[in-house]
Amino acid sequence: MEKAAKNQINESLPEAQQPVTDAATFEELNVQPETLKALKKMGFTTPTPIQSRAIAPIMDGRDLIAKAPTGTGKTCAFGIPLIECLNVDMTEVQALVLCPTRELCVQIAEDLRRLTMYRQDVRIAAIYGGQSMNTQIATLKKHPHIVVATPGRLLDHMSRRTIRIDNVYTAVLDEADEMLRMGFIRDVRKILDATPADTQVLMFSATISRDVMDVAWEYQRNAVQIEVQAEGDNRPNIRQIGIRSQGQQRLTDMEKIIDALELKRVIVFANMKSTVRVLGERLRKSGRSCDYLNGDLPQGQRNKVMAGFKKGAFEILVATDVAARGIDVDDVEAVFNYDIPDENEYYLHRIGRTGRARRHGIAITFIGENDEFRMRDIRKYCHADIQMMTVGEDGSLTEVEEQPDEEA
Ligand code: ADP
Ligand code: MG
């Protein structure tokens, strides 16, 4: 009822109002040093497009509706401003994040905790169905500043008066389309109705469904609208393959594949300078046309190697990410990730070296026993459609069925 006031101002779905500038760095966004430090620790060097566009208007207190597919970095897009704007001296719940599933709820809370790893004063609670009420009541008694919740369970707590949300000044609907589609629309309305009339409402959604629009119309005012594409939507035609292989086996597998596919223009990426050197020397010893690039080589030598690879003087280039940065070669037939890259964005840079030529390129990633977590991250963040395969004795590649990645 309280919300009716908003309707009058909000005649229709708000006009798109893009922020004036997109931030290129987290520093530019005036993020507190503790958060910057945490971002660095998490390996987030630059904001994703949605982060660079959403953070500033959210910090300005604007309502916002963002259409963005999975893996575009939405959690930090709302998480960073939520943390920046907290008044830690207040004991009431100030920010509410609603999401459709308990898994998401746990994940978002974890992500927010990582973002506040250098802030001992911020309290975050996850409230979701399936966990004991008593545990959650104990958590709520500790006065969390931010509550991440599934709608049903939150309402449950509201009706038992174990939580009050009448001081919430920011409400986030994450995966809004999904949440509303799952029949939470009435719950979400009840929750938003219980927040103050001028609560900032942020909606994040992969699609802007009818329900999403309705809720936006009802609860938002003059919202900033943002739309971002999936990373790599305009990516060239790259076949991405994952192979379970580690240690020395990787070299054997790689050589078999190179021979079977008769690859003549290949970049092999490894994470460490020493790996690059050893691998380059090994390949050369086994009679292959190969050279390598790492940061230990003097600049003159590096330039020579780069120029050589560009003009096709040798077939296989082994390189670290940093050393490869300077080479604008993007017409290779295959990229091998001898190691999984340390940074998600390196994966895209690496595989982007192939697939531009007439025929499509392939990117082969070796995945060891301890790489599952990194791999999942890359799949998600890079929207990497990686087909798992095995290498036969003759170097032939055969698809293997794997249980699909659960994260949606
Ligand atoms: P979404 O909610 O849009 O699906 P997430 O917020 O879960 O996306 O982020 C997807 C992945 O990208 C996560 O693994 C996250 O750690 C990573 N990520 C988010 N922001 C950045 C960044 N600025 N730089 C590098 N990785 C990031
Ligand atoms: Mg998300």
Side-chain angles (χ1 to χ4, degrees), residues 172-371:
V172 181
L173 311 191
D174 192 23
E175 313 268 340
D177 51 350
E178 197 59 30
M179 186 156 60
L180 301 177
R181 182 162 52 234
M182 285 168 71
F184 284 129
I185 189 153
R186 284 190 54 198
D187 291 355
V188 167
R189 282 207 161 97
K190 273 192 209 158
I191 292 165
L192 289 175
D193 286 339
T195 64
D198 57 355
T199 296
Q200 176 185 30
V201 176
L202 311 174
M203 296 180 71
F204 291 84
S205 203
T207 58
I208 304 296
S209 62
R210 183 76 239 169
D211 286 342
V212 171
M213 278 172 68
D214 284 352
V215 172
W217 186 83
E218 204 170 332
Y219 295 97
Q220 293 192 313
R221 178 163 48 197
N222 192 21
V224 173
Q225 292 184 32
I226 288 178
E227 181 172 347
V228 301
Q229 308 298 321
E231 294 251 2
D233 257 8
N234 36 27
R235 201 156 52 203
N237 186 10
I238 302 166
R239 177 119 194 250
Q240 299 172 64
I241 295 166
I243 291 170
R244 285 191 198 285
S245 185
Q246 54 193 346
Q248 299 297 314
Q249 187 62 39
R250 290 176 294 180
L251 181 57
T252 316
D253 286 344
M254 189 164 76
E255 294 201 80
K256 281 197 287 194
I257 296 167
I258 289 175
D259 290 340
L261 298 178
E262 298 178 356
L263 299 172
K264 298 263 182 288
R265 203 156 169 69
V266 177
I267 301 184
V268 182
F269 284 100
N271 292 350
M272 295 197 302
K273 292 187 274 195
S274 54
T275 315
V276 163
R277 178 175 45 77
V278 171
L279 201 55
E281 279 166 4
R282 283 251 188 116
L283 285 163
R284 231 189 280 172
K285 261 193 207 132
S286 66
R288 299 200 177 257
S289 164
C290 169
D291 212 335
Y292 69 89
L293 263 184
N294 70 17
D296 288 341
L297 297 176
Q299 192 57 48
Q301 174 70 11
R302 277 159 76 169
N303 295 344
K304 232 177 83 186
V305 174
M306 285 179 201
F309 188 64
K310 253 189 196 170
K311 65 172 198 256
F314 59 93
E315 297 176 359
I316 306 169
L317 174 68
V318 188
T320 55
D321 294 281
V322 176
R325 237 175 230 171
I327 37 170
D328 57 345
V329 184
D330 56 9
D331 60 345
V332 302
E333 294 172 299
V335 165
F336 283 89
N337 292 316
Y338 197 77
D339 298 313
I340 295 195
D342 291 329
E343 310 256 349
N344 290 337
E345 68 211 74
Y346 285 175
Y347 181 81
L348 292 176
H349 287 163
R350 288 180 179 187
I351 72 168
R353 304 284 180 168
T354 187
R356 307 265 167 98
R358 290 164 283 119
R359 47 196 185 138
H360 69 253
I362 56 172
I364 295 173
T365 304
F366 292 121
I367 304 166
E369 275 167 12
N370 301 320
D371 296 332

Side-chain angles (χ1 to χ4, degrees), residues 14-20 53 57 62-65 221-226:
E15 288 280 298
Q17 292 212 356
Q18 302 298 351
V20 193
R53 292 168 62 189
R62 300 283 303 270
D63 283 352
L64 177 135
I65 181 162
R221 178 163 48 197
N222 192 21
V224 173
Q225 292 184 32
I226 288 178

